[in-house]
Amino acid sequence: MKILMLAFGTFFFKYRNQAFPLIILVLFVAVPPTTAILGSTALEQWKDFVALAMVLAGLVLRAMVIGYAYIKRGGLNKRVYAKDLVTEGMFGVCRNPLYVGNMLIYVGLFLFHGNPVVVIVGSLLFGFIYQCIVYAEEEFLANKFGEAYSAYCRDVPRWGLKLSAFSASTEGMAFNVRRVIAKDYSTMSSTLIALLATEFYRVAADSISDQELSYAIVLVGLLVAVLALTGLVSSLKKKGVFDKLTAVR
């Protein structure tokens, strides 16, 4: 089983940028989002609140990781690779903090959609894929860094957050706001687009009533604004605006 998971991990490490959006699109299109839980709009609103809180927590965690000690997760030539063993910043709190952040975002998106099939299948599938990717990365790191990596694994949890280590692991480090924007604006943008598109899908699943028309227009306006802001940030990044890495202490 471990060998099969390693093969899956290697595959999805290489093609995750293409596979993950496709999987989400298929799940979301296959079944419409919920509009009420057990006939209760109040429960639906609480569910959405929890979902949005999870998404926000995931984005914040990713920002903390990138702001303190960012490492390139794309590997080398789309293969698992690491030049150094990074153990400071949020990597002193969790061995896979970016993946934990991603899972919070994905599960939050699935929960926001609300259909039980999407929530269960999506969460389990992405959890399995990330575990496979982690196995592939761990095998590479263990082979390259040996006992140093073994000691790191003994001290830092794979998925949990050892918050008691945060102060020591970030001591003397500065939080880099510009790097967060430059490196993670696309994740923030795609997450907002997914939320807005899902909400619009919910409103327009059958037909848009006169009462829902204004809300639908607001959603479209927000979607256009997110796309425009994303384009602006991308343009500024190409012009080198974020090259000067500004830190906040």
Side-chain angles (χ1 to χ4, degrees):
M1 183 63 178
K2 182 72 174 289
I3 295 176
L4 183 61
M5 291 181 72
L6 285 171
F8 272 117
T10 301
F11 174 83
F12 279 105
F13 184 91
K14 184 175 183 179
Y15 296 108
R16 56 188 166 175
N17 290 339
Q18 296 79 26
F20 285 7
L22 179 61
I23 292 172
I24 293 174
L25 181 62
V26 169
L27 284 173
F28 279 33
V29 171
V31 288
T34 57
T35 56
I37 297 178
L38 300 176
S40 172
T41 55
L43 285 177
E44 181 72 22
Q45 289 173 351
W46 274 107
K47 182 267 294 179
D48 287 347
F49 175 79
V50 172
L52 292 174
M54 292 183 68
V55 170
L56 179 60
L59 290 173
V60 169
L61 180 54
R62 283 184 57 88
M64 295 291 287
V65 177
I66 297 169
Y68 279 114
Y70 176 73
I71 63 173
K72 186 176 181 181
R73 281 290 187 176
L76 182 66
N77 297 324
K78 297 297 182 179
R79 298 179 66 85
V80 176
Y81 177 80
K83 181 179 179 181
D84 303 302
L85 179 61
V86 179
T87 61
E88 66 269 14
M90 291 301 294
F91 292 95
V93 175
C94 174
R95 291 184 348 235
N96 301 285
L98 280 174
Y99 294 164
V100 174
N102 289 349
M103 278 303 301
L104 284 170
I105 292 171
Y106 288 133
V107 174
L109 289 175
F110 297 144
L111 186 61
F112 188 76
H113 182 284
N115 186 284
V117 173
V118 171
V119 176
I120 295 172
V121 173
S123 298
L124 291 177
L125 179 59
F126 274 70
F128 175 76
I129 291 173
Y130 269 118
Q131 184 62 67
C132 292
I133 291 174
V134 166
Y135 277 161
E137 291 183 342
E138 287 179 344
E139 182 180 55
F140 174 88
L141 294 172
N143 290 334
K144 181 167 184 176
F145 299 108
E147 178 55 32
Y149 182 67
S150 297
Y152 173 59
C153 290
R154 289 193 294 269
D155 188 53
V156 180
R158 175 189 283 152
W159 291 112
L161 298 177
K162 188 179 178 182
L163 297 178
S164 60
F166 175 78
S167 179
S169 63
T170 59
E171 184 177 2
M173 301 182 72
F175 187 81
N176 197 305
V177 178
R178 290 195 179 206
R179 184 166 62 204
V180 172
I181 298 173
K183 298 293 185 181
D184 218 33
Y185 77 93
S186 59
T187 298
M188 299 177 192
S189 172
S190 60
T191 301
L192 287 173
I193 290 171
L195 289 170
L196 290 169
T198 301
E199 184 66 2
F200 185 84
Y201 185 13
R202 196 198 317 262
V203 173
D206 296 322
S207 61
I208 301 177
S209 65
D210 293 339
Q211 293 83 359
E212 295 171 326
L213 181 58
S214 297
Y215 183 47
I217 292 174
V218 169
L219 291 174
V220 173
L222 289 173
L223 182 59
V224 171
V226 170
L227 291 172
L229 184 59
T230 302
L232 175 61
V233 174
S234 178
S235 177
L236 292 174
K237 181 180 178 180
K238 291 178 181 178
K239 292 180 179 178
V241 172
F242 301 110
D243 290 348
K244 183 181 179 181
L245 302 179
T246 301
V248 176
R249 294 187 180 277

